[in-house]
Amino acid sequence: MNLKEMYANIEKTTRSFDFNTSMTVKVFILISVVVLIVLMFPTGESIEFDYRIGAIWGGDEIIAPFSFPIYKEERQYESEKQEAERAVKPVFQRDDRQADQAIDSLRTLFGQIKAAIDFELEYRDRRTTLRRGEADLRARVEQDSIILEDFKRYLTVQFNAEEWNTLIDLRRGIDRGNITSLEELRTTIESLLREYYRTGILSESKQDIEHEEIAIRRNADEVVTPVERFKDVSEANTAYESEISERLNDDGPELSAAVKIGSVHIRPNIIFNEEETNRLRQIAREEVPRTIGFVLENERIISRHERITEESKLHLDTFRRAKAERGGAINIWLQYVGKGLHVTIVLLLFGVYFFLFRKNVFHNNAKLALIALIILMQAFFAFLTLAINVDAPVEYLIFVPAAAMLLTIMFDSRLAFYGTVTIALLVGGIRGNDYTIMLVSIIGGALAAYTVRDIKHRTQIFRSMLFIFLGYTLTIIALGLERFETPMAMIYEVTFAGANALLSPILTFGLLIFFERVWRITTDLTLLELSDFNHPLLKDLSQKAPGTFHHSLVMGSLAETAAEVIDANTILARVGAYYHDVGKSLKPEYFIENQMGFKNRHDKLTPRMSALILISHVKDGYELGKKHNLPKEILEFIPMHHGTTLISYFYNRALEKKTDKDVINEDDYRYPGPKPQTKETGIVMLADAVEAATRSIDEPSIAKLKVTIDGIIKSRFEEGELDECELTFKDLNSIREAFFKVLVGIHHPRIKYPGQDEKEDDSEKEKFQPFDKGYSGKGAMPPEETTTESNTKLDNKQ
């Protein structure tokens, strides 16, 4: 490979790398967060001296600083668990159905054997007749030969020629020793089988059963029985061969046939219940006590110059383990591994939530990095509370509520709650598995998230102060009463909690602005600020294209109402509707809502040119939006509100004016797309078409509004424009009802005067037909009712 090719490959790899979706970046973020948080975990004090039984303790006297249980030596504990497990007898289930099925199968086999033999005897008679000269029997004899072979092939036991002839002799009653008939052979075999099933045939080999006794369950009863009372399958077959040989008094083909028949029907009816046995063994292991005593706080563990006994060594081992569990270090590297696993598991559980329920966040590494930064920020606060050596409850200055509010505002309350729990677990781990700070952080963070879940303005953040303070205070008092703390101690802790409640909103306010700017996060606050009509784009639209601006306002009401009923983002839908047509401000006079009664400029243009002008407002709007730094979520509404719909009015005009030399390409009259990708963009597409169509109705009434709304939604659905968004049939029904309620309020029905035709009243009572997979479109606007004028208005608006 030369240098040029190498550079080409590097460039190709660089182009194919997508930072936002790369799994490598996700793994890097996870590893970075785990390593940084693990470094913040405390390293506890360890017992420095090497000690063994019989040695003299050379260290200082050790007094237990806290109470802890005395754990058994690990090998002893494992040995006791294994012993308890071995003491559990294997559980077997007696299944009498096996015996019944085996006997039924035996009788069925003998019935088949009898039928096959009888057929063969008849076949032999016909074959003998054929030899005497009856040529007309030849075809039937050949057919009988095939049937006979099929008879034998489908028997569950395959016999050789000698065995089969022996069975034929028994069927014919020819004496073969102790057995004189086929029926007698069956009863002999059946009696032996019944005896074995009555005793019991084990499903497991006796060699594999380690116990001398087993537990036999039959329905609700259980009996412990010696294994030797039963036979396994191998023993049953051996015993059967011996006993059937004695009864038949034969060692020839009769015996071999009987052995084949019997061995097929020997089945275990004492079945090993592995699942129940393992469950009982697990219970037995868990019931083995882990400890053999308890060391109380301030109790002496060992004195200086004391000889180390087996008991004192056990106390020292347990004390070291107890310290490690409370944050002390035995082996720093092993401890770091444990901490790393601790942090990784907590973060992976949070990541599973993203993967299952928030794929839009999981596939956006920039957002994952932002969440990781918030988690690291709280971990650092927890680390600082340990690093600052002061006699004060500074752990209540870990600003978990600030993280909860940031996650709620930038994402949603559900993600914020999961994030709060994750942060609380990590903070508690850094604080030495501190349960108190875990619980306080979860309650304070949950209340903080609750207060900003429907935030409408930035100052609303400060409303959370009271809720955070109440959450912290009630939790501190509850835990304090449980631990018999003094009132002064609780008041001291509540004071620090109050400082947290005061500072968390301030921290949130400042960090929110920073994260919005750096990560370009579009929060509800950002959208609310964009809804200000003094925004340059909206102000310009209202001045240059007042008709379009009014149309956008009505669309905003439609979209917001529809989004609310299907649980979509109402603010995003409304603001997206405001900006969807900003491109019309560049050529407002070419759109009918802005012509104000003047002559339509499209009258002097070719259909192709008119279509190009209409389509251009999408591109123009997108460029204006980028120029004014509109968020990506808002920019998507500009091309998606038309999708790939056809500008039917000018397309039909082009077809009418077409000459033989003209080539009309339908794609030239379609918007470039893409189709709506979200619920909100789908709603705005429907609202755009519905608002334009209903505005063009002469003398609007309830019936006309229903028919128009129904027809527009049906049209967009059948054209496939909604295929790529998440709107369901149920959503379309709800959207249609929401549109109708808003439009009825805008287009007030006229008053009915005496003598007016009552037919329209009846049609107004007609309900919408629900959308479903079999939707017929009944009630949709017929083509002949859509006038040329309304088509012109709708297409020019588009």
Side-chain angles (χ1 to χ4, degrees):
M1 179 183 295
N2 58 36
L3 191 61
K4 184 177 180 180
E5 291 176 340
M6 184 178 70
Y7 280 123
N9 287 337
I10 293 174
E11 184 181 358
K12 181 179 179 181
T13 304
T14 304
R15 284 200 306 268
S16 63
F17 180 82
D18 186 354
F19 175 87
N20 262 346
T21 59
S22 172
M23 184 57 68
T24 304
V25 176
K26 290 179 176 60
V27 174
F28 175 78
I29 293 172
L30 175 63
I31 294 174
S32 300
V33 173
V34 169
V35 170
L36 291 173
I37 292 179
V38 166
L39 292 175
M40 298 179 198
F41 268 71
T43 55
E45 180 182 349
S46 62
I47 299 175
E48 298 291 339
F49 296 94
D50 184 22
Y51 55 91
R52 58 187 182 277
I53 296 176
I56 302 299
W57 180 253
D60 296 331
E61 182 180 56
I62 298 179
I63 304 297
F66 50 84
S67 300
F68 59 89
I70 303 172
Y71 291 98
K72 295 177 181 176
E73 200 271 334
E74 196 63 34
R75 284 180 295 180
Q76 177 190 353
Y77 181 54
E78 277 300 321
S79 175
E80 289 179 5
K81 288 197 295 184
Q82 292 174 7
E83 188 63 32
E85 184 177 346
R86 283 195 294 269
V88 175
K89 297 177 174 60
V91 178
F92 284 77
Q93 197 83 27
R94 177 178 280 276
D95 188 357
D96 293 329
R97 293 175 301 176
Q98 295 294 330
D100 296 336
Q101 291 173 3
I103 299 303
D104 290 343
S105 175
L106 176 68
R107 292 176 178 177
T108 300
L109 174 62
F110 270 91
Q112 294 172 344
I113 292 173
K114 290 177 183 178
I117 291 173
D118 292 342
F119 186 87
E120 181 166 352
L121 293 176
E122 292 177 6
Y123 165 76
R124 289 180 178 180
D125 290 340
R126 280 192 288 273
R127 190 172 60 182
T128 302
T129 304
L130 178 63
R131 291 196 187 110
R132 294 173 182 170
E134 296 185 15
D136 57 336
L137 291 175
R138 182 179 303 278
R140 183 173 179 182
V141 169
E142 291 177 354
Q143 184 179 4
D144 288 349
S145 174
I146 297 172
I147 295 174
L148 180 61
E149 291 303 318
D150 289 338
F151 251 128
K152 294 179 181 180
R153 189 182 305 113
Y154 290 120
L155 292 175
T156 54
V157 179
Q158 299 299 309
F159 304 98
N160 59 34
E162 285 186 300
E163 293 166 349
W164 186 250
N165 289 330
T166 299
L167 294 175
I168 291 176
D169 291 343
L170 290 174
R171 177 61 174 159
R172 295 170 67 182
I174 299 175
D175 189 356
R176 301 288 299 185
N178 291 347
I179 302 298
T180 59
S181 69
L182 201 60
E183 181 62 21
E184 187 177 355
L185 178 63
R186 182 192 65 77
T187 56
T188 301
I189 296 173
E190 183 176 324
S191 65
L192 284 175
L193 292 178
R194 287 188 181 277
E195 181 181 339
Y196 297 151
Y197 282 121
R198 190 163 43 251
T199 303
I201 303 173
L202 296 170
S203 62
E204 304 294 311
S205 172
K206 284 185 178 180
Q207 296 178 351
D208 298 332
I209 301 175
E210 299 176 354
H211 291 71
E212 294 180 357
E213 294 180 328
I214 58 176
I216 305 296
R217 289 186 179 181
R218 189 172 189 175
N219 298 327
D221 300 326
E222 179 175 303
V223 179
V224 177
T225 309
V227 177
E228 290 305 318
R229 290 190 182 181
F230 305 100
K231 292 181 174 65
D232 58 26
V233 175
S234 176
E235 289 179 339
N237 277 303
T238 302
Y240 172 77
E241 290 180 18
S242 174
E243 293 186 39
I244 196 66
S245 176
E246 291 178 4
R247 295 196 183 190
L248 295 181
N249 192 23
D250 181 79
D251 58 355
E254 183 179 4
L255 174 62
S256 63
V259 169
K260 285 184 177 180
I261 294 172
S263 61
V264 169
H265 294 88
I266 292 177
R267 308 169 185 173
N269 67 329
I270 307 296
I271 311 299
F272 177 52
N273 191 334
E274 183 177 7
E275 181 180 352
E276 182 63 14
T277 302
N278 290 337
R279 187 183 72 84
L280 293 176
R281 287 173 178 171
Q282 183 62 30
I283 291 174
R285 287 176 62 90
E286 293 172 354
E287 288 178 347
V288 175
R290 182 68 183 88
T291 62
I292 55 174
F294 211 82
V295 174
L296 298 177
E297 184 178 356
N298 295 322
E299 183 178 344
R300 185 178 63 190
I301 296 175
I302 194 168
S303 298
R304 186 176 178 83
H305 304 307
E306 180 180 338
R307 185 177 299 276
I308 298 174
T309 64
E310 186 174 349
E311 180 182 5
S312 60
K313 182 179 184 300
L314 185 60
H315 285 197
L316 288 169
D317 290 340
T318 305
F319 177 53
R320 183 166 61 176
R321 174 175 177 173
K323 289 187 70 178
E325 291 175 348
R326 293 173 66 92
I330 302 172
N331 184 305
I332 293 178
W333 290 109
L334 288 178
Q335 193 179 42
Y336 278 140
V337 171
K339 294 170 185 175
L341 290 174
H342 172 184
V343 176
T344 302
I345 291 170
V346 172
L347 292 176
L348 284 178
L349 289 175
F350 195 27
V352 168
Y353 164 74
F354 288 136
F355 180 77
L356 295 178
F357 305 108
R358 293 301 304 271
K359 291 186 181 293
N360 61 323
V361 177
F362 181 80
H363 294 300
N364 191 323
N365 290 334
K367 291 182 179 179
L368 290 179
L370 173 59
I371 295 171
L373 180 60
I374 293 173
I375 293 174
L376 284 173
M377 180 178 66
Q378 299 303 316
F380 180 71
F381 287 146
F383 171 76
L384 285 180
T385 61
L386 285 178
I388 300 172
N389 189 16
V390 294
D391 187 18
V394 291
E395 63 269 20
Y396 293 108
L397 293 180
I398 302 173
F399 302 107
V400 176
M405 288 189 286
L406 286 170
L407 292 174
T408 302
I409 296 170
M410 291 189 291
F411 299 99
D412 58 50
S413 56
R414 182 179 297 179
L415 186 150
F417 178 75
Y418 282 101
T420 300
V421 173
T422 300
I423 292 171
L425 291 174
L426 295 175
V427 165
I430 294 173
R431 290 280 312 171
N433 299 326
D434 188 344
Y435 168 79
T436 299
I437 197 60
M438 285 187 198
L439 182 61
V440 169
S441 297
I442 290 174
I443 294 176
L447 288 174
Y450 172 80
T451 58
V452 296
R453 74 191 193 286
D454 292 322
I455 192 166
K456 300 300 182 185
H457 48 81
R458 293 186 185 272
T459 55
Q460 189 177 333
I461 294 174
F462 297 99
R463 190 184 67 175
S464 60
M465 288 181 181
L466 177 62
F467 288 85
I468 297 171
F469 180 73
L470 286 176
Y472 271 71
T473 301
L474 292 176
T475 310
I476 289 170
I477 292 174
L479 295 176
L481 292 174
E482 182 184 352
R483 293 180 299 200
F484 302 101
E485 287 186 357
T486 63
M488 287 304 299
M490 287 189 282
I491 292 173
Y492 195 37
E493 292 175 350
V494 167
T495 303
F496 279 80
N500 189 330
L502 178 66
L503 296 175
S504 285
I506 298 173
L507 185 63
T508 302
F509 190 92
L511 288 176
L512 180 61
I513 297 173
F514 172 77
F515 288 144
E516 284 179 321
R517 296 294 183 269
V518 176
W519 264 267
R520 296 188 178 181
I521 296 290
T522 305
T523 65
D524 285 353
L525 291 174
T526 307
L527 295 174
L528 287 169
E529 290 168 356
L530 288 172
S531 66
D532 185 355
F533 296 149
N534 289 318
H535 188 282
L537 280 176
L538 295 182
K539 193 170 184 178
D540 195 48
L541 184 67
S542 65
Q543 294 173 353
K544 295 181 179 179
T548 301
F549 180 73
H550 179 264
H551 157 73
S552 299
L553 295 183
V554 177
M555 271 186 61
S557 298
L558 290 170
E560 184 175 30
T561 306
E564 184 176 4
V565 298
I566 67 168
D567 201 26
N569 190 325
T570 57
I571 302 175
L572 179 60
R574 174 162 61 88
V575 178
Y578 288 170
Y579 288 88
H580 80 289
D581 267 347
V582 291
K584 291 183 179 179
S585 63
L586 298 183
K587 300 186 185 74
E589 65 276 7
Y590 286 92
F591 299 89
I592 196 165
E593 68 268 24
N594 300 313
Q595 292 177 358
M596 304 295 182
F598 298 108
K599 190 174 182 181
N600 193 334
R601 296 209 174 193
H602 290 280
D603 293 343
K604 296 182 179 180
L605 300 177
T606 63
R608 174 67 181 130
M609 182 56 67
S610 294
L612 285 173
I613 293 174
L614 295 186
I615 293 172
S616 68
H617 88 276
V618 171
K619 180 181 178 182
D620 293 340
Y622 196 87
E623 294 299 325
L624 283 173
K626 289 177 64 177
K627 182 179 178 181
H628 286 79
N629 296 318
L630 289 184
K632 174 178 173 289
E633 290 81 357
I634 299 299
L635 286 174
E636 288 177 347
F637 285 85
I638 297 174
M640 290 183 189
H641 80 277
H642 281 307
T644 59
T645 54
L646 179 69
I647 306 175
S648 56
Y649 177 77
F650 291 113
Y651 176 69
N652 291 330
R653 281 187 58 187
L655 292 177
E656 292 171 2
K657 296 182 178 182
K658 178 184 176 183
T659 64
D660 295 337
K661 296 180 181 180
D662 294 335
V663 177
I664 306 300
N665 186 356
E666 183 178 308
D667 291 339
D668 293 338
Y669 293 83
R670 284 191 178 276
Y671 287 96
K675 296 178 181 179
Q677 304 293 309
T678 63
K679 286 185 177 183
E680 291 80 11
T681 52
I683 290 171
V684 168
M685 167 182 272
L686 297 175
D688 181 45
V690 166
E691 196 283 329
T694 55
R695 183 158 36 84
S696 67
I697 299 175
D698 294 326
E699 297 182 0
S701 64
I702 291 178
K704 288 181 180 180
L705 289 175
K706 284 184 177 181
V707 169
T708 303
I709 295 170
D710 205 38
I712 290 295
I713 296 179
K714 174 179 178 292
S715 172
R716 291 294 183 265
F717 171 74
E718 291 180 342
E719 290 169 0
E721 293 298 323
L722 304 176
D723 289 351
E724 297 177 13
C725 65
E726 301 170 349
L727 293 176
T728 63
F729 288 116
K730 181 180 179 181
D731 292 337
L732 292 179
N733 285 319
S734 301
I735 291 169
R736 182 172 55 181
E737 297 289 347
F739 283 175
F740 176 71
K741 290 178 182 178
V742 174
L743 290 171
V744 164
I746 296 173
H747 303 282
H748 301 289
R750 66 185 184 276
I751 299 174
K752 297 290 183 180
Y753 294 98
Q756 191 170 358
D757 190 359
E758 297 296 327
K759 291 183 178 180
E760 190 172 22
D761 290 338
D762 296 333
S763 64
E764 290 172 355
K765 298 176 184 178
E766 183 180 347
K767 294 183 178 179
F768 283 125
Q769 179 186 356
F771 279 106
D772 54 33
K773 291 184 179 179
Y775 180 68
S776 64
K778 180 180 178 181
M781 183 183 292
E784 61 270 20
E785 292 182 15
T786 307
T787 64
T788 302
E789 182 182 1
S790 64
N791 265 335
T792 305
K793 291 179 179 179
L794 178 57
D795 279 329
N796 285 358
K797 203 271 344 144
Q798 292 176 337

